């Protein structure tokens, strides 16, 4: 089973071009929405990094194991964490434009979201959807994707984003999240957009070298290379899965 995990503030719509390029039948893959992202937030769900990891592991278990994991942005981080905790459920894994690195200090928006009061003020600004959409497009989000997703960025998603980034101290990882990477299954892959303004590709290169994981870089592409270069990503994944 192929299991695709989107990032923040995205939805499963980010996978549509890739799934088309892979020509996957409906029963061959899952592309669930993170709880609270364009869907309800379950009662009592804390929306922390560990809660989302547990949710993903539940998805892997429900799929019956032997899963090919693919994650972008926060989805990539969750893929790395879940695969390191439950390698028995994983056949292969791939992370796009996100790695767990103890030296990464988070991008500007991540640090703002992680800061009490400042994060709430930023979220108030996100309610101006035309302005927020312009900001996303300026950061590299494809306009077509942004126009589809902007209507799904509601109060529930904004609250989940704050909880998630605060649980991760604005994308600063340490402790078990780093140490447990030693348990990652061997069959891994990284896919990256060279001009990503949020996570420079040098972090991908370092992760690749340290852990002997293949890295594919799409030159001239940014954070959403998984969407804008879906055909190229599909070719990488097909070779990886083979």
């Amino acid at each position: 089973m192929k299991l695709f995990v989107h990032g923040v503030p995205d939805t499963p719509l980010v996978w549509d071009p890739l799934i088309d390029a892979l020509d996957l039948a409906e029963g061959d893959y899952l592309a669930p929405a993170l709880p609270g992202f364009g869907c309800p937030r379950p009662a009592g769900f804390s929306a922390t990094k560990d809660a989302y990891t547990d949710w993903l592991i539940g998805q892997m278990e429900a799929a019956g194991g032997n899963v090919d994991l693919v994650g972008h942005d926060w989805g990539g981080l969750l893929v790395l964490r879940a695969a390191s905790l439950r390698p028995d459920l994983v056949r292969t894994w791939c992370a796009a434009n996100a790695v767990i690195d103890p030296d990464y200090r988070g991008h500007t928006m991540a640090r703002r979201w992680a800061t009490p009061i400042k994060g709430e003020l930023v979220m108030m600004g996100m309610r101006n959807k035309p302005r927020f959409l312009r900001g996303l497009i300026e950061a590299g989000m494809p306009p077509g994707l942004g126009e589809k997703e902007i209507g799904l960025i509601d109060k529930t998603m904004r609250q989940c984003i704050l909880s998630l980034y605060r649980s991760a101290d604005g994308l600063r990882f340490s402790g078990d999240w780093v140490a447990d990477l030693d348990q990652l299954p061997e069959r891994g892959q990284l896919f990256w957009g060279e001009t990503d303004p949020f996570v420079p590709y040098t972090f991908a290169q370092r992760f690749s070298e340290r852990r002997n994981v293949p890295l594919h870089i799409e030159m001239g592409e940014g954070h959403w290379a998984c969407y804008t270069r879906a055909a190229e990503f599909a070719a990488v994944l097909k070779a990886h899965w083979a």
Side-chain angles (χ1 to χ4, degrees):
M1 178 65 72
K2 317 306 182 189
L3 179 52
F4 300 90
V5 191
H6 69 84
V8 177
D10 279 310
T11 71
L13 292 170
V14 75
W15 298 120
D16 286 355
L18 177 62
I19 290 169
D20 287 344
L22 288 167
D23 196 25
L24 293 176
E26 188 171 331
D28 294 336
Y29 73 92
L30 295 170
L34 297 176
F37 283 71
C39 64
R41 177 178 179 172
F45 186 75
S46 64
T48 63
K49 66 183 192 299
D50 294 313
Y52 280 110
T53 299
D54 291 342
W55 167 83
L56 177 53
I57 290 173
Q59 297 289 313
M60 294 157 60
E61 291 174 334
N66 198 37
V67 172
D68 294 305
L69 288 170
V70 182
H72 170 249
D73 185 83
W74 253 107
L77 300 175
L78 295 173
V79 159
L80 291 172
R81 180 60 174 157
S84 67
L85 291 178
R86 292 299 306 273
D88 58 303
L89 297 174
V90 180
R91 191 178 81 98
T92 70
W93 60 267
C94 177
N97 287 83
V99 290
I100 296 171
D101 188 309
D103 295 324
Y104 181 61
R105 290 338 235 180
H107 53 81
T108 300
M109 188 59 73
R111 295 194 296 271
R112 289 175 179 170
W113 284 336
T115 305
I117 300 179
K118 182 179 289 187
E120 279 76 8
L121 292 173
V122 171
M123 288 301 172
M124 288 179 63
M126 286 172 59
R127 291 185 298 181
N128 184 331
K129 292 187 177 182
R131 184 172 65 186
F132 185 53
L133 175 58
R134 287 196 299 272
L136 289 172
I137 293 173
E138 289 171 0
M141 178 179 275
L145 175 62
E147 290 165 2
K148 293 177 182 178
E149 291 191 318
I150 194 67
L152 299 173
I153 303 176
D154 57 8
K155 181 179 179 181
T156 297
M157 186 189 293
R158 293 194 298 268
Q159 291 175 337
C160 288
I161 290 172
L162 291 181
S163 296
L164 178 58
Y165 277 84
R166 288 172 185 178
S167 73
D169 191 21
L171 297 178
R172 300 178 184 182
F173 294 99
S174 60
D176 291 345
W177 273 65
V178 175
D180 290 343
L181 291 172
D182 291 340
Q183 300 168 180
L184 275 173
E186 290 185 2
R187 292 186 62 185
Q189 174 73 50
L190 298 178
F191 182 87
W192 219 269
E194 176 213 9
T195 63
D196 188 335
F198 304 110
V199 192
Y201 72 89
T202 52
F203 286 97
Q205 290 177 318
R206 180 162 61 186
F207 192 100
S208 172
E209 293 167 0
R210 286 179 174 175
R211 302 192 178 276
N212 194 29
V213 177
L215 167 63
H216 178 93
I217 298 178
E218 280 295 318
M219 305 303 291
E221 289 295 315
H223 188 69
W224 283 272
C226 65
Y227 185 94
T228 57
R229 294 289 179 89
E232 291 81 358
F233 195 10
V236 170
L237 286 175
K238 287 178 180 178
H240 175 48
W241 292 336

